[in-house]
Amino acid sequence: MSADPITEPVNEAQDPIDLLIEFEKASKEPIRAEYVEGMVIVPPQPDHNHNRAAYKLCVQLTMAGLEHAGIGNGYRTGVTAEKTLSLLVPDFYVMRREPSDLDEAYRRTNRGWYPIELLHLAGEVTSTNHETDTGPKYRSYAAAGVPLYVIVHRYERKVYVHSEPVPDKKQPTKSHYRTTTVTELGGKFLLPAPYPALDTSLL
């Protein structure tokens, strides 16, 4: 990819969801903007290899019997119903369960964003903006208590599996994961049970 992500600070009085909608309307190309640590992030357009990697990992999760694996959903975190802390679109994910009627009502109220409490695993395949995945998104997923965060780091040719989130409610940017395993890209990497080992040889 050749483009770098666009970031824009957000006025605290404005709901970030409204601003993201305006960004998406103004763009000449399809985008799915995100909101992380007070900034709107417009990721670069993903290339074929990025999309293929996310898809192949999602297929492996599905074939292993994880029915709630998927791609494309956006998730919202917030300390209250009124205040949005982050809006995240993982490249692939596994939800804890099928969204309930209450979850769908939440999504409608928040104009397309599910509650992040649904997520059990969030996965990112890095692009030119890999610092976003390893920094702000890492802290945001940890702050939200997402149990597993997987980064397929194409630049470093490694896979990072972060587990055991340690949320910091007072200072979310200090949130982190207690455990991290690192595997060379090109082989299989392990995830905690009941997840399967995922093969990256075809990525």
Side-chain angles (χ1 to χ4, degrees):
M1 298 183 200
S2 59
D4 287 324
I6 299 170
T7 61
E8 182 73 23
V10 178
N11 184 329
E12 286 293 326
Q14 183 175 21
D15 188 333
I17 294 175
D18 294 329
L19 188 57
L20 264 57
I21 289 171
E22 293 306 314
F23 266 80
E24 291 163 6
K25 286 180 181 177
S27 176
K28 294 180 180 178
E29 297 179 349
I31 61 169
R32 188 78 192 271
E34 297 172 281
Y35 176 70
V36 183
E37 294 186 350
M39 300 288 289
V40 172
I41 297 174
V42 181
Q45 285 293 315
D47 63 15
H48 171 69
N49 289 334
H50 172 280
N51 291 340
R52 180 179 63 179
Y55 174 75
K56 285 184 177 293
L57 291 169
C58 186
V59 167
Q60 289 181 59
L61 290 165
T62 303
M63 294 296 290
L66 296 162
E67 297 180 1
H68 305 309
I71 55 177
N73 282 353
Y75 297 89
R76 175 186 179 272
T77 70
V79 285
T80 66
E82 294 78 24
K83 184 172 175 59
T84 298
L85 289 182
S86 59
L87 299 164
L88 298 158
V89 185
D91 289 324
F92 61 97
Y93 56 80
V94 178
M95 293 187 294
R96 299 174 188 272
R97 53 179 170 74
E98 190 73 14
S100 66
D101 290 344
L102 190 60
D103 296 321
E104 292 296 347
Y106 181 101
R107 183 186 63 83
R108 289 190 297 273
T109 299
N110 290 283
R111 288 158 290 178
W113 299 89
Y114 282 104
I116 205 161
E117 289 77 16
L118 274 176
L119 276 186
H120 192 269
L121 179 152
E124 299 285 354
V125 178
T126 64
S127 300
T128 53
N129 61 329
H130 52 83
E131 293 90 352
T132 302
D133 296 329
T134 58
K137 284 190 178 182
Y138 166 89
R139 294 187 291 269
S140 294
Y141 284 123
V146 176
L148 291 172
Y149 179 40
V150 177
I151 302 175
V152 179
H153 203 307
R154 297 191 295 165
Y155 179 76
E156 294 184 356
R157 302 294 300 167
K158 293 178 180 178
V159 179
Y160 295 84
V161 177
H162 303 291
S163 59
E164 299 182 84
V166 183
D168 190 321
K169 299 297 184 184
K170 293 183 178 179
Q171 293 181 282
T173 57
K174 290 189 176 181
S175 300
H176 63 280
Y177 284 89
R178 183 174 289 114
T179 303
T180 298
T181 62
V182 185
T183 307
E184 295 293 326
L185 192 61
K188 290 186 177 181
F189 66 92
L190 297 177
L191 291 166
Y195 289 94
L198 297 182
D199 187 3
T200 66
S201 62
L202 299 178
L203 303 187

